[in-house]
Amino acid sequence: MPGLKRTVHLAKSFRSAVNRQGLRAVPAIVKKFLLSTRLGNRFAMRGVSGKVMKAAEIPHYTRTYKVDLPEGYPAKSVEVTLTVPAIPPRPHLEFADHVMDADGRATDLVLASAMGGFGLSHDLGRSWKYVKVGPAADKRVVHVKRIAPDQYLLQVTERIPDRSAAREIDILVVDEAGAVLAANKLPASPWHGCRSVDVADGTLMFAEYPHEIPDAKPNQRDSSRVWRSRDLGRSWEVVFEIKDVRHFHFLQARPGKPKEWWLTSGDGLEESRIWVSKDDGKSWRDVTAAYSTMIPLDGAQYPKTLFRLTDLCWAGDEVAWGTDDFLYAIKGAPMGSRMFRSPCADMLVPSVVGRSKWQIRNMVDVGDFFFILTQGSNKTDATMEEKMPGVFLMPKRTPSDAPALVHLFDVDVHSTVRTGFTYSRAGRAAKDGTFFTYRGSTDAFPTGHKMLRWDVKYL
């Protein structure tokens, strides 16, 4: 009776979606439901054999930007080429992760999520293989993480999750042939992007990003938790749980520092915090606990949301991050997201690096610099120019007589819809100047896969 069971589930999910979104949303809901049917699934997967796909069936989109850099920078100019990888349109792939090696260096392996399975490239995005996963045949693979040689951690949900039901997620470990090595159904929430899951020295952890009903009060929320596995996803335990934050944004092991992990949360004043564990998640220290809701800095009063972030990077003994907040509540300085630096210590002491146009989503290590990627404007009346995400460059070593943050260019948006651009999904570092990010369907180019290849040259 699997067909009847699926029909009942779809009907229940449809009613829940209409109740949440209202009758005006019915056409969009119907379209989404039709695409989730078996017929839609077969259409989406047509031509997929599991073999490496090389033929391009979508336009080859590419654009190059060349920008002169300020005096005092370790390069005179930078050339950035954006490309949507030339792969067939089906299945539709979404960037999931650019794999790092044990020493924190980017590799040639790039991962993508899809309906019913996942994609991978062993040659830095030049060719792709689609891997079907049996238990995910009628479901959505939301995230993919390589956790060991030929072992991939998949987070799987229903094509249209029932948000009114108790949270539940499928966590699979599979190999490159699609064989399931381990399967768990956890009473857990998805993690956020690819910066909220990591593995280091045999410890695997992810941090939850619970779904929330609009205008929910704290007592109506699910708690936010950190899950840990010591056996590469075969079994799981909760090692940290907190009820007074909306969700976690970031959880990563610090390269070169055994057992050290950094965790961040958001979104409000009291919810924007950073924790550090130095024992693989057994205990956590809030390195922002000393601060109240307002923080004096450079003659201004900054809200504690300066610790609201979706990405951070380490440079030696310092940590740098950009705010996933426009800092509307700042007093004595212009509003706008900021880049900050601080020594890595038991209490962070932030200093301002520079201001960005919109909220910062990702930082990517590319040679002597970090690439800083923002979302578009979140104003309801934003102009087309304001909707464009920004790209910035920050030297790893702050120059003494040059700006510490420089704007390179804004990314085209081929839609009237506001965009989060990378939606917090990007590689941590470049391989020979190449890295990958997620992209909204109409960001940078009019169509194509939800994936963007960046090729960087310093001149």
Side-chain angles (χ1 to χ4, degrees):
M1 302 287 285
L4 177 60
K5 183 178 180 181
R6 175 169 171 76
T7 300
V8 171
H9 172 77
L10 286 175
K12 183 180 178 182
S13 297
F14 182 85
R15 288 195 300 270
S16 297
V18 172
N19 289 336
R20 289 194 314 274
Q21 301 175 43
L23 292 175
R24 296 179 63 180
V26 166
I29 296 171
V30 168
K31 180 180 178 181
K32 191 173 183 180
F33 269 75
L34 289 175
L35 290 175
S36 75
T37 63
R38 289 185 180 274
L39 179 61
N41 184 29
R42 292 194 184 99
F43 176 78
M45 301 303 170
R46 72 182 190 276
V48 174
S49 64
K51 298 179 180 179
V52 174
M53 302 178 292
K54 294 184 178 180
E57 297 180 12
I58 58 176
H60 181 63
Y61 292 119
T62 185
R63 181 173 179 179
T64 298
Y65 302 82
K66 184 176 180 180
V67 182
D68 292 332
L69 299 178
E71 290 289 336
Y73 269 35
K76 291 184 178 179
S77 62
V78 60
E79 185 176 280
V80 183
T81 299
L82 303 184
T83 309
V84 174
I87 47 182
R90 301 293 178 185
H92 200 61
L93 300 181
E94 302 181 2
F95 171 81
D97 199 15
H98 186 176
V99 176
M100 310 286 286
D101 65 19
D103 296 321
R105 295 187 297 258
T107 69
D108 289 328
L109 180 57
V110 186
L111 305 177
S113 58
M115 291 292 185
F118 67 102
L120 51 82
S121 171
H122 285 286
D123 53 12
L124 210 57
R126 295 179 181 86
S127 61
W128 289 82
K129 176 182 178 180
Y130 175 75
V131 181
K132 291 183 178 181
V133 179
D138 292 321
K139 298 183 178 182
R140 180 188 175 202
V141 175
V142 183
H143 297 299
V144 185
K145 175 74 175 180
R146 179 187 180 273
I147 57 174
D150 199 21
Q151 294 192 46
Y152 301 89
L153 183 73
L154 274 56
Q155 193 172 56
V156 182
T157 69
E158 297 293 336
R159 286 175 173 257
I160 305 173
D162 182 0
R163 301 296 191 187
S164 63
R167 54 181 169 176
E168 186 177 75
I169 199 92
D170 287 314
I171 303 289
L172 307 179
V173 179
V174 305
D175 64 18
E176 196 168 317
V180 177
L181 309 178
N184 284 279
K185 188 178 290 291
L186 299 181
S189 301
W191 59 76
H192 180 66
C194 51
R195 291 291 198 278
S196 294
V197 57
D198 206 0
V199 59
D201 299 323
T203 296
L204 170 64
M205 289 197 281
F206 75 85
E208 292 181 312
Y209 191 93
H211 172 75
E212 182 182 322
I213 60 175
D215 302 318
K217 297 178 181 178
N219 61 358
Q220 295 176 298
R221 299 175 184 162
D222 286 326
S223 60
S224 296
R225 299 167 298 186
V226 174
W227 291 78
R228 183 179 69 183
S229 174
R230 296 282 202 173
D231 53 10
L232 293 179
R234 275 62 177 177
S235 62
W236 294 88
E237 61 179 333
V238 174
V239 293
F240 186 54
E241 182 171 11
I242 190 164
K243 295 183 178 180
D244 59 348
V245 301
R246 186 170 282 109
H247 38 230
F248 291 122
H249 285 151
F250 175 100
L251 174 63
Q252 293 282 287
R254 184 181 174 190
K257 298 290 183 178
K259 299 186 178 183
E260 184 170 325
W261 293 70
W262 287 56
L263 171 71
T264 79
S265 65
D267 286 334
L269 286 170
E270 295 289 350
E271 299 169 328
S272 299
R273 308 179 200 174
I274 301 176
W275 289 267
V276 175
S277 173
K278 295 186 178 181
D279 52 14
D280 278 337
K282 183 178 179 180
S283 62
W284 298 86
R285 179 186 179 93
D286 184 347
V287 294
T288 62
Y291 296 102
S292 62
T293 56
M294 299 301 291
I295 303 169
L297 190 61
D298 292 346
Q301 292 286 325
Y302 281 77
K304 196 178 179 183
T305 51
L306 70 84
F307 294 118
R308 173 180 169 180
L309 61 100
T310 59
D311 205 356
L312 61 77
C313 287
W314 298 273
D317 293 328
E318 285 193 324
V319 60
W321 70 93
T323 60
D324 178 36
D325 189 84
F326 197 65
L327 299 177
Y328 294 98
I330 193 172
K331 298 177 181 179
M335 289 188 298
S337 299
R338 300 292 202 280
M339 285 297 306
F340 292 94
R341 285 182 185 265
S342 170
C344 295
D346 288 341
M347 183 183 82
L348 296 187
V349 182
S351 60
V352 179
V353 175
R355 184 161 65 103
S356 72
K357 192 175 182 180
W358 306 117
Q359 290 90 326
I360 294 164
R361 286 290 188 163
N362 282 109
M363 302 175 63
V364 185
D365 185 335
V366 189
D368 291 327
F369 300 89
F370 291 115
F371 267 67
I372 312 299
L373 312 178
T374 83
Q375 65 179 50
S377 170
N378 62 352
K379 298 193 304 182
T380 55
D381 59 346
T383 65
M384 284 305 296
E385 285 190 356
E386 289 174 328
K387 287 187 173 75
M388 297 169 67
V391 179
F392 293 76
L393 202 63
M394 186 182 85
K396 291 180 180 177
R397 295 185 178 181
T398 303
S400 58
D401 55 355
L405 186 70
V406 61
H407 176 245
L408 296 182
F409 57 88
D410 292 328
V411 176
D412 291 338
V413 175
H414 299 267
S415 169
T416 58
V417 179
R418 292 173 290 156
T419 178
F421 189 31
T422 69
Y423 292 89
S424 307
R425 302 184 191 184
R428 287 178 65 179
K431 170 70 183 294
D432 299 328
T434 297
F435 67 93
F436 292 80
T437 71
Y438 182 94
R439 61 180 279 267
S441 299
T442 54
D443 292 339
F445 303 104
T447 186
H449 296 270
K450 293 184 177 181
M451 187 185 315
L452 203 58
R453 173 175 170 144
W454 301 62
D455 290 290
V456 178
K457 294 180 181 179
Y458 299 117
L459 306 172

